[in-house]
Amino acid sequence: MDFLKSAIGSAIAKGGGLPFSLGDRVDVGDSVWALHNGTKRDDGSACSIFAFEINANKSRLPLAKNAVRKSRTLRHPGVIKVLDTIETEHNLYIVTERVVPLSWPVKRRSLSEETAKWGLYTVASTLKFINDDASSVHGAVRASSVFTSESGEWKLGGFDILSSMKEDDAIIYTYGSSVPDAARYTPPEVVKGGWDTIKRNPLAAVDAYGLGILIFEVFNGGFSGGDQAGKTTNIPPSMQQSYKRLCTANPKLRLSPGHFVEQGKKHGGFFQTPLIRMTEDIESLGLKSDAEREEFINELDNLSGDFPEDFFKMKVLPELLKSVEFGGGGPKVLAATLKIGAKLSADEFNIKLTPAIVRLFGNPDRALRVCLLDNLPSMIDNLPQKIVNDRIFPQMTSGFTDVAPVVREQTVKAVLTIINKLNDRIVNGELLKFLARTANDEQPGIRTNTTICLGRIAKNLGQSTRSKVLIAAFTRSIRDPFVHARNAGLLALAATSDVFTEEDCAVRILPAICPALLDKEKLIRDQANKTLDLYIQRVRKHASTMPATMIPATAPTEANKPEARVGTPNDNSWAGWAISSFTNKIATANGEIEPTTSNGKAADAEIARPASVPRPAKPTPSTQHELLSQTLRPPSQPLNRSMSDRPAPVTHDNGPEEEGDDVFDAWGAMDDDFENDVDGFTAALASSKTTSPVPSSTKAPVVPYDGGGEPDFAGWLAAKSQTKAKNPLSKASTKTVSTNSGATRSTASTAKPRTVVVPKKIDTKPKNEEVDDDWGDAWD
């Protein structure tokens, strides 16, 4: 059996069967133990290993075995937590939680006063437990016996001579002086009378003296010898009196660790600090009343930044999360939780906080939701994008439609924080739909914030939806009755001018800005002018890069065609170009009259006419030239012509009033010109008054016109299209004019009443281009 035990111990000593892996060695100073960082093999968690090599320290083997035995049995929050102890033939191992020697920060003097008091309170409380409850004596209290855990808490170790005073053969009596550097820390009574004097003095006297030396070390960075014990250098004033009583030479007058704690906990005592109070209250936070919880949170807010962050991460944070989720901690506790969480690394945040945050976003408590949204900027960097898209944003969307305006407003503001973690599908889909609702919210502040939000996230929107959404939202905001909403719309347009095309700027945005130039509020007018100038400059800059014209170059066949005259910049009249063009048209039309034949006679073109119309009298050679010079048009003029191309009315000796009738009829026909189409043209032409004035100098016979006949317009149009000839006397006048001077002319009032005859529909219609030619010929 002994052989099997020895074989197993040898295998373990070689490291093959150890439940941990040894890491780097940690400097622990003068000690019988070698401290290593380690890792547990089963779960990979960090740990510390105190290793003792038996063959190298056989004289101190009883101290190591005593430490192993006491570590297994002693349990207290202020004592190093032991995970396992392993004894082999060659080594002894104590596996504990990961710890760091307190001597490191002590030598660097990096401990703040509040942290030092908090740690000393923990050590003093632990010694009180050892002395009073366990009836034991530690015997080696010093900085090298104290360690700090991952949570920053001070843990008491160094149990090499820890002994129960109920044992007659306690190891402290025999091996008390075997502890490394014992002479420097031994109490004066022990130096004189040996360790057996413990039996004749108060049980806590030795540990009280060690606590006093530890206080001096913490505040002064070390301890050189017994002559420094009791000196108050750098000791906080409130603690000096009690500290002196710990270090007094008479052991019967020394203040025990328990009494030292009691004096420090008195009202106004040196242990009445926010950190110590929080440490005591944190574990019972879920059981506190609302008033007590609020007091605790206020105490937590008063803590400065020099307190141990590790303690908040490891101890305070888990308790706060429990209180928020299950103890009704409310938004104040949540705010304190997120404040501590901001100091975590990304990995620590995902492990400790992310699951709780996801659950809290689903909590129906509006106060918690608002608190989460307010603190979202401090934690968004630590939230993975997948978590934000899949789990957080879907629960946030209920805030856009919440009945409480404060929730809707905070949700809109939170979009700016979360936008960079959302994918394109959510941004250009669900998010824009919800923002469209808040843009029409009944609360003007929410509408304003939505406009600001859209302006800030413009870069994140897709190109296919950006212009359409932003222009619609901003131009709508400019018309908002709330003055700050209008101002936000103008500011957003100014800030996002580079995301719109020049065409959008000129066609859609500038017209929307212009009404704001006359806004009733000066704030809006000023901002509208600034935004308008910004867009006008951009449009002008773009216009300067555009080509002068997009009209294609003139074809070679059209190079010799005369160009239409247009007005020049020197024309002071606004209608100068129109008059010039009109004059050019007349000049061109006059050049299209049929030339005379070689014998001086005009080419006769027989014009088709209806039987009811008598053949007009053939002009004599003496009057032919005069007739051609006047070039009267046919009475049936197309309605779509300007009155300026019609011949001036013939002046008669006795009828100035007759001229007025013709002018009125012409203006009426021109008015109808803009209202009738091509089909109405024939009917209007048939019902209009026709007048064939005859120059008085020709004395041509008047041909009576049968008003009841049916004019043959189709024949006339056909003849016009075939011969292109112009006959100024195509029809007789409906009025008879007396050629005798002084004779009375016949008027429409004495003539037979005319009846309007609706022309018959003729199947034969001239081609479109022929009608166009007729309209162009009429400008002669």
Side-chain angles (χ1 to χ4, degrees), residues 97-110:
E97 60 181 321
R98 177 63 65 86
V99 293
V100 175
L102 179 65
S103 57
W104 290 5
V106 166
K107 291 178 180 179
R108 296 193 302 265
R109 303 187 69 172
S110 60

Side-chain angles (χ1 to χ4, degrees), residues 221-278:
F223 179 76
S224 61
D227 58 340
Q228 289 184 332
K231 291 185 176 181
T232 58
T233 306
N234 296 326
I235 305 298
S238 61
M239 191 184 291
Q240 290 179 3
Q241 189 65 31
S242 299
Y243 158 72
K244 288 180 180 180
R245 293 188 61 186
L246 289 173
C247 300
T248 184
N250 188 351
K252 294 182 179 180
L253 298 179
R254 287 177 192 155
L255 194 67
S256 67
H259 287 109
F260 180 75
V261 171
E262 290 178 1
Q263 288 190 1
K265 291 292 292 181
K266 289 181 180 179
H267 181 72
F270 47 85
F271 284 153
Q272 285 292 328
T273 64
L275 186 58
I276 294 175
R277 287 195 296 267
M278 185 192 65

Side-chain angles (χ1 to χ4, degrees), residues 21-39 46-52 80 94 96-105 107-108 143-144 146-149:
S21 60
L22 285 174
D24 299 332
R25 182 169 178 171
V26 179
D27 181 17
V28 73
D30 293 334
S31 175
V32 300
W33 296 92
L35 179 61
H36 295 265
N37 290 328
T39 305
C47 64
S48 292
I49 299 101
F50 291 87
F52 179 84
I80 296 177
I94 302 176
T96 68
E97 60 181 321
R98 177 63 65 86
V99 293
V100 175
L102 179 65
S103 57
W104 290 5
K107 291 178 180 179
R108 296 193 302 265
S144 60
V146 181
F147 300 83
T148 58
S149 65

Side-chain angles (χ1 to χ4, degrees), residues 47 88 198 344 423 438 440 503 510 547 580 591 598 642 645 662 757:
C47 64
T88 68
I198 298 177
L344 299 176
N423 56 42
T438 56
N440 297 316
E503 183 178 356
L510 284 174
S580 300
S598 58
S642 173
D645 65 336
D662 292 339
V757 180

